[in-house]
Amino acid sequence: MSVEFRVLGPLEVLLDSEPVSVPAGRGRVLLATLLLRPNQFVSVDELVERLWDGEPPTVDRAHKTLQTTVLRLRQALGAANRVRTTPGGYLCEVRPDELDLLRFRALVKAGDFASAAELWRGPALANVVSDALHRDDVPRLEAERLDALERRIDADLERGGASDIVAELIELTREHPLRERFWAQRMTALYRSGRQAEAFESYREITTLLADELGVDPSPELRELHLALLNGEVGGSQRKALCQLPPDTAGFVGRAELLCKVEEKLAAPGVPVVVLSGAPGVGKSAFTIKAAHRLRDRFPDGQLFARLNGASGDPRDPVEVLAELLVALDVHASAVPDGLEARSAAFRAQLADRRMLVVLDDAAGSDQVRPLLPGTEGCAVLISSRQQLVQVDGAQSLRVPPLGEDDGIALLSSVLGAERAGTDKAAVAAIVRACGGLPLALRVAGARLAARESLPLSSLARRLSDERHRLDELTMGDLEIRATFGPSYEALPADAATAFRRLGLLGATDVASWTVGVLAGGDGERLVERLVEANLLDEVGLDVTGEPRYRLHDLLAVYAAELVRAEDEQVVAEAMRAYVHLLLTVVEVAAEAWTGGDELPLVPIAPSTALDRAEIERLADNGEGLLVSEMVNIERAIMYCLRKNWVSDAANLVDRAFLFLDVYYSHDRVLQLRELLREAAFADGKDLIAWRSHLDHVAQRITRGVTEELLAELARCAEAFEAMDAQAELAAALGSLTYYTMVLTGQPQVALAERAVVAGRASGVRNLRTSTLRELGTMLATEKRYAEATRVLDEALAISREANAPWNEIALLLSRIASSALAQGDLDRARSASREALDLTTKLDDTRGIAYCTTQAAQVDLALGDPGHALTGAEKALSAFEGLGERRGAVRAVAVVAEATLALGLYGKVIDVATAALENYADTGDADAEERLRVALAEARRRA
């Protein structure tokens, strides 16, 4: 049996798709009132007011008439009846799929505005006669409809469908002549459809209309659009606005004056920065989110949001936050630079010429905030923090004060319900005074009362009047919080209670519903719904993949952690094993795009069966987004595994996740995690894992420059792998040792390369066989044994092409072939190989690979007698390397810059460039690049 209720149009009820007759008059008013507050208590007094639309007769008669109306409505609905009696009132109990209003709001939240708009069948509740409903409720519904319609039209314009919606927009501006957003969309659609004259005429029409009707000018946004049209700056598509704000704060009361101050300060010229500070529990975050939503129209290019966890004792590294924000701004993973300064500069560049609001919640201090600030006018920053952050240049601080008594009573009443709060107004006022107007304390008190409906308000007021125990009653920082959270937790069904406890294993971090499901061994979506309904889990919006995220409040997380510690250790360990296994499986699928190249083969894992394979692939479809969304949880899972001595699980997770995520963490954090894994593996007797981790540790360090110390560590790795007869690992270590020894010393290492080839063949791993052949070919070419080098490199390329190897592997081989050909003067082969390598890395959108291949192509151009083209390419590559913090690549690019500049006869510039480079890049350990710089410098000095 299916039931459907409809309020987005004439009131309708369907039972198994057949209409159910709803009694006209008060019966429809009653049902409509309850449906507009689905699953919420509506008091008898409010219903009486609605049913009479004015002053009812005697109270006794009104209540009896209401009871009769409810009875008749239930009888008419029959099997479709969802009206339930509660103490002092009624509610209509409906599932999200049974009421079109709930489906509409869910679609809007998911961003499917077209489907949401299609649910409307006409004016809301058109067949319900009630002045109160059409005065108080229907306008709000209509506002929601128009907002969804505007967003749907924005999406149509974004997709290039301007000409298809012109007629609709003309009709909408007739129906809503003073709604300026429709006029802006109409002007945009007309302009993009080639109807410029009509677009300008539309602006004149709304200008006249506003002047005649309201005596005002068009809004700044409409005037700016008009100017953009005049300047031809509105093209066929626009950059999509981004909103990362959490849902608007529910149950917010008061603070109107403070909201006005925030708006005023954020309207200042330049890049205004407003810091909202105040005591713990005063509601800084709630107020910040409320203010940000009110300001959305001022920042049409979007609103960025980041939690900085300043109050947690473990504030987020701004390097990680910047990576997250850059991905949200559609920066490709390979283009995210390494290092704080580079990422901060990239972030500022992304915000240039945009009007965006950056919201930073719970900042720890000035050093954490400074790298996250925009640099150009048009943007603004709103920060919440326990500190005033006076060290942030230009920041204006506003203190968020406690609520006054009237606002405090309103907040507590909104938690309790107006009817219950009205039973003892003196007690409510006493509780507000005892709480000092702190919203968190009021919500704690309200939650305790709401969880125990039989508890008299005067009882809590009396306990709070005793100053000796007031903090015990209201504290949120120790185990006394059990008295507040206990009733809510105990009221949960067993499976939802398990889910709540198990979330304590992860702490206060954002999670998806599948995480909740695997930890509790149940349906994650349903469990999340129960916890959200019980106010024990917060919705925090969508991640970059579009997946909803949820979070335990910090104090609830502490409470849940205490509860889970009381569970059977073995049972909890099995739940965490299942979670780690599923996380590992999802990460493996998400990271598939980055496998290949010189990586060691991953240790195979048995895929998790906690979710269907199709669901796992859906979650991992946006590989970058999934990995970035889960990066905090991945790191926590790795640390949990290490604490529990689950070394193999930790290693498998590190090996897969860090194929991609190593560029998102700070360099030092990557090294630290590798070190922790290495030491745990040694302690557990897992030597192969330990040495593999050490090899990866060295590989990370060597990106900053080659040293004798690092070469010695590579040699130690090779010795260890040889002793264990680990041929794959031996091949990788020897290949790296071969290449980097030549880089540092400038001397070819043929013997080492031949040992690597033997190990590569013995390993049976194709990519290690080709990579070791590549290094051997490179060494032979350096020794000027070109015929042998050509044979070896061609063999490696043939193996890779036949196996349809990843493009990055083939590109690296082609690059080495180009280098060998260039050294022996075969310029046609060098040009062909270098161009194909550059094409492949460009298709991959691999910023680092593109820079290396561009450097090599510039060398070939120089050899072909085109120094101007070579200089342009080398300078482009140098800029990319500097942005990435890739010093080894930078010194190679600057060597080509010096050589091309020398060929152009600009001797003074060569002297400046080469002198500076030899000093700045002395620690990179690239002997060949340094020698080329010295030769160029000497020649320039001689000629000058």
Side-chain angles (χ1 to χ4, degrees):
M1 180 184 68
S2 64
V3 179
E4 183 178 3
F5 296 89
R6 297 178 176 179
V7 297
L8 304 181
L11 177 65
E12 293 180 358
V13 180
L14 302 178
L15 179 62
D16 290 334
S17 301
E18 294 295 324
V20 176
S21 178
V22 180
R26 290 178 181 141
R28 291 185 184 176
V29 175
L30 171 63
L31 181 60
T33 300
L34 294 174
L35 287 173
L36 292 181
R37 297 157 179 78
N39 304 307
Q40 296 179 29
F41 166 86
V42 182
S43 71
V44 168
D45 291 344
E46 183 177 356
L47 290 172
V48 166
E49 288 180 6
R50 281 298 167 89
L51 264 58
W52 266 269
D53 247 5
E55 192 68 24
T58 65
V59 173
D60 183 62
R61 181 182 170 189
H63 285 195
K64 287 181 179 179
T65 303
L66 173 61
Q67 291 172 354
T68 302
T69 304
V70 171
L71 178 60
R72 290 175 178 171
L73 176 61
R74 285 171 167 167
Q75 290 172 341
L77 294 176
N81 176 46
R82 293 290 188 273
V83 178
R84 306 288 184 254
T85 302
T86 64
Y90 298 87
L91 63 80
C92 191
E93 188 178 74
V94 292
R95 297 198 309 267
D97 60 335
E98 291 180 334
L99 178 61
D100 58 358
L101 177 59
L102 292 177
R103 295 202 306 276
F104 169 81
R105 287 170 175 166
L107 288 167
V108 168
K109 186 174 182 180
D112 189 355
F113 305 115
S115 298
E118 288 174 1
L119 291 176
W120 283 78
R121 298 168 289 108
L125 303 173
N127 60 343
V128 180
V129 179
S130 169
D131 291 341
L133 275 173
H134 290 281
R135 180 188 65 243
D136 299 333
D137 293 306
V138 171
R140 286 197 291 268
L141 292 179
E142 179 66 3
E144 289 185 63
R145 181 183 77 86
L146 293 177
D147 182 68
L149 192 55
E150 288 174 348
R151 297 188 186 193
R152 192 224 79 203
I153 292 170
D154 282 339
D156 290 344
L157 290 170
E158 185 70 21
R159 287 192 294 267
S163 59
D164 298 331
I165 57 176
V166 168
E168 179 186 10
L169 283 165
I170 290 174
E171 183 61 28
L172 285 170
T173 51
R174 286 174 181 162
E175 293 175 4
H176 308 278
L178 299 180
R179 198 170 179 97
E180 294 187 59
R181 182 61 189 150
F182 282 145
W183 284 96
Q185 292 172 326
R186 171 176 164 175
M187 291 163 59
T188 303
L190 286 166
Y191 186 91
R192 293 183 184 177
S193 302
R195 299 162 66 175
Q196 290 91 336
E198 293 175 70
F200 295 126
E201 179 57 32
S202 295
Y203 181 75
R204 287 189 288 273
E205 188 176 344
I206 180 59
T207 300
T208 302
L209 185 63
L210 290 170
D212 292 343
E213 294 289 331
L214 303 177
V216 298
D217 294 325
S219 66
E221 291 77 8
L222 204 56
R223 294 199 300 271
E224 289 174 9
L225 174 61
H226 180 235
L227 181 61
L229 293 175
L230 289 171
N231 294 331
E233 295 173 356
V234 179
S237 63
Q238 291 179 308
R239 188 157 44 192
K240 185 177 180 181
L242 172 69
C243 179
Q244 290 190 311
L245 298 177
D248 200 357
T249 306
F252 188 87
V253 298
R255 307 202 191 283
E257 182 178 350
L258 188 60
L259 284 168
C260 291
K261 288 182 179 179
V262 171
E263 293 177 1
E264 177 185 348
K265 291 183 180 297
L266 288 179
V271 182
V273 178
V274 173
V275 179
L276 299 166
S277 60
V282 80
K284 298 181 294 296
S285 294
F287 178 80
T288 300
I289 293 167
K290 168 61 70 175
H293 276 280
R294 283 185 42 142
L295 291 161
R296 282 189 63 188
D297 289 342
R298 290 196 187 179
F299 302 94
D301 292 325
Q303 303 82 39
L304 295 169
F305 182 87
R307 280 192 173 85
L308 303 184
N309 298 345
S312 68
D314 184 22
R316 296 187 65 190
D317 189 330
V319 171
E320 298 175 17
V321 177
L322 284 166
E324 180 179 300
L325 293 174
L326 286 169
V327 168
L329 291 165
D330 289 333
V331 175
H332 192 275
S334 64
V336 174
D338 197 359
L340 180 62
E341 292 184 6
R343 288 186 181 180
S344 183
F347 178 64
R348 292 193 297 273
Q350 285 293 317
L351 295 189
D353 300 322
R354 291 193 187 187
R355 294 174 61 191
M356 297 193 79
L357 177 65
V358 180
V359 183
L360 305 175
D361 183 45
D362 193 16
S366 303
D367 291 341
Q368 186 187 35
V369 164
R370 288 193 191 97
L372 309 177
L373 301 181
T376 53
E377 188 168 0
C379 292
V381 186
L382 189 58
I383 305 170
S384 70
S385 175
R386 291 191 177 190
Q387 304 178 45
Q388 293 187 359
L389 305 184
V390 294
Q391 299 90 343
V392 177
D393 291 342
Q396 300 186 72
S397 294
L398 288 174
R399 183 175 179 272
V400 181
L403 295 173
E405 183 167 320
D406 289 345
D407 287 335
I409 290 173
L411 176 56
L412 187 57
S413 298
S414 72
V415 178
L416 291 176
E419 183 178 70
R420 188 177 179 199
T423 61
D424 192 341
K425 294 181 179 179
V428 168
I431 292 171
V432 170
R433 288 192 296 271
C435 290
L438 291 180
L440 181 58
L442 288 167
R443 292 186 184 279
V444 169
R448 292 179 61 186
L449 292 167
R452 299 175 58 189
E453 291 184 356
S454 62
L455 180 67
L457 303 185
S458 59
S459 175
L460 181 59
R462 186 172 56 255
R463 292 203 297 270
L464 289 174
S465 67
D466 183 353
E467 294 184 359
R468 295 171 300 173
H469 300 295
R470 183 178 300 171
L471 292 179
D472 293 337
E473 296 291 338
L474 293 176
T475 184
M476 299 289 285
D478 60 27
L479 297 182
E480 291 299 324
I481 199 65
R482 289 195 302 261
T484 300
F485 295 148
S488 297
Y489 165 73
E490 291 162 6
L492 290 171
D495 57 352
T498 298
F500 177 76
R501 292 195 307 272
R502 300 283 170 78
L503 281 172
L505 295 165
L506 304 183
T509 181
D510 294 354
V511 298
S513 61
W514 59 266
T515 298
V516 180
V518 71
L519 282 172
D523 182 340
E525 288 287 351
R526 190 180 64 81
L527 293 170
V528 160
E529 287 178 4
R530 296 305 298 264
L531 293 175
V532 170
E533 289 169 3
N535 295 313
L536 294 175
L537 191 65
D538 295 327
E539 296 179 281
V540 294
L542 305 178
D543 61 28
V544 294
T545 72
E547 192 75 13
R549 306 290 289 189
Y550 307 91
R551 180 186 177 94
L552 285 178
H553 183 279
D554 290 359
L555 298 170
L556 281 169
V558 173
Y559 180 62
E562 181 205 23
L563 293 172
V564 82
R565 283 196 294 270
E567 279 198 69
D568 182 272
E569 274 190 45
Q570 185 61 36
V571 173
V572 172
E574 289 174 1
M576 276 301 290
R577 279 276 196 187
Y579 165 65
V580 169
H581 196 193
L582 177 57
L583 183 63
L584 181 56
T585 303
V586 173
V587 168
E588 179 168 69
V589 177
E592 282 178 351
W594 294 277
T595 57
D598 291 356
E599 290 89 5
L600 285 168
L602 298 173
V603 176
I605 62 168
S608 169
T609 58
L611 291 178
D612 293 338
R613 182 68 183 185
E615 178 66 5
I616 289 175
E617 290 178 351
R618 182 192 70 80
L619 291 172
D621 182 57
N622 181 344
E624 295 178 24
L626 184 282
L627 290 167
V628 170
S629 298
E630 294 292 338
M631 62 185 291
V632 173
N633 294 330
I634 289 169
E635 182 179 352
R636 290 189 178 190
I638 291 168
M639 296 302 296
Y640 185 93
C641 290
L642 293 176
R643 288 195 301 272
K644 300 294 286 187
N645 209 33
W646 300 348
V647 174
S648 296
D649 289 328
N652 286 332
L653 198 48
V654 167
D655 289 344
R656 286 158 175 80
F658 279 31
L659 288 172
F660 174 80
L661 283 180
D662 60 338
V663 299
Y664 283 81
Y665 292 109
S666 67
H667 182 68
D668 290 341
R669 182 55 176 162
V670 174
L671 294 178
Q672 185 182 40
L673 288 171
R674 290 290 186 187
E675 288 172 354
L676 291 171
L677 175 58
R678 179 188 64 198
E679 298 311 312
F682 274 132
D684 197 40
K686 292 183 170 58
D687 288 356
L688 183 57
I689 292 176
W691 282 106
R692 281 179 61 134
S693 187
H694 188 53
L695 180 62
D696 288 327
H697 186 269
V698 175
Q700 285 288 334
R701 292 176 61 193
I702 218 163
T703 61
R704 296 301 193 266
V706 187
T707 65
E708 290 284 358
E709 176 196 355
L710 292 177
L711 293 181
E713 291 304 314
L714 285 175
R716 286 184 64 216
C717 289
E719 290 173 6
F721 293 137
E722 190 167 32
M724 289 183 280
D725 195 27
Q727 295 299 317
E729 289 77 8
L730 176 60
L734 288 174
S736 294
L737 183 59
T738 297
Y739 178 72
Y740 289 116
T741 301
M742 189 192 73
V743 168
L744 182 64
T745 65
Q747 301 301 312
Q749 307 294 313
V750 175
L752 269 178
E754 289 173 339
R755 285 180 60 199
V757 169
V758 171
R761 294 185 191 278
S763 73
V765 180
R766 182 203 50 75
N767 69 299
L768 292 175
R769 181 182 173 193
T770 55
S771 67
T772 53
L773 286 171
R774 182 191 69 222
E775 298 308 335
L776 176 58
T778 301
M779 298 305 113
L780 292 170
T782 307
E783 279 199 342
K784 298 184 170 39
R785 296 159 62 178
Y786 297 122
E788 296 173 78
T790 300
R791 176 182 57 77
V792 170
L793 291 171
D794 284 350
E795 178 188 354
L797 183 61
I799 294 171
S800 293
R801 289 196 193 278
E802 182 179 351
N804 196 25
W807 287 349
N808 57 342
E809 178 182 320
I810 294 175
L812 185 52
L813 273 168
L814 288 166
S815 177
R816 296 295 181 85
I817 289 171
S819 294
S820 175
L822 185 62
Q824 60 183 300
D826 187 350
L827 298 186
D828 287 340
R829 180 175 168 87
R831 176 169 51 190
S832 173
S834 64
R835 289 290 181 261
E836 185 180 356
L838 180 56
D839 288 345
L840 288 175
T841 53
T842 301
K843 289 177 182 177
L844 282 169
D845 199 15
D846 176 6
T847 304
R848 183 176 279 104
I850 292 170
Y852 274 107
C853 290
T854 300
T855 301
Q856 184 175 64
Q859 283 185 277
V860 175
D861 286 335
L862 185 59
L864 288 167
D866 190 352
H869 199 198
L871 180 60
T872 300
E875 288 180 335
K876 180 180 178 181
L878 178 60
S879 177
F881 283 130
E882 289 176 341
L884 292 167
E886 185 83 3
R887 292 175 57 74
R888 287 196 297 108
V891 72
R892 296 184 180 189
V894 80
V896 182
V897 168
E899 292 168 337
T901 306
L902 180 66
L904 290 169
L906 304 174
Y907 305 127
K909 183 178 179 181
V910 176
I911 293 171
D912 293 341
V913 169
T915 301
L918 286 169
E919 179 179 349
N920 295 337
Y921 296 103
D923 60 344
T924 56
D926 194 316
D928 178 68
E930 291 180 10
E931 178 60 24
R932 288 162 53 201
L933 283 166
R934 291 191 186 94
V935 168
L937 177 60
E939 183 65 14
R941 285 172 172 166
R942 185 182 68 79
R943 296 189 183 186

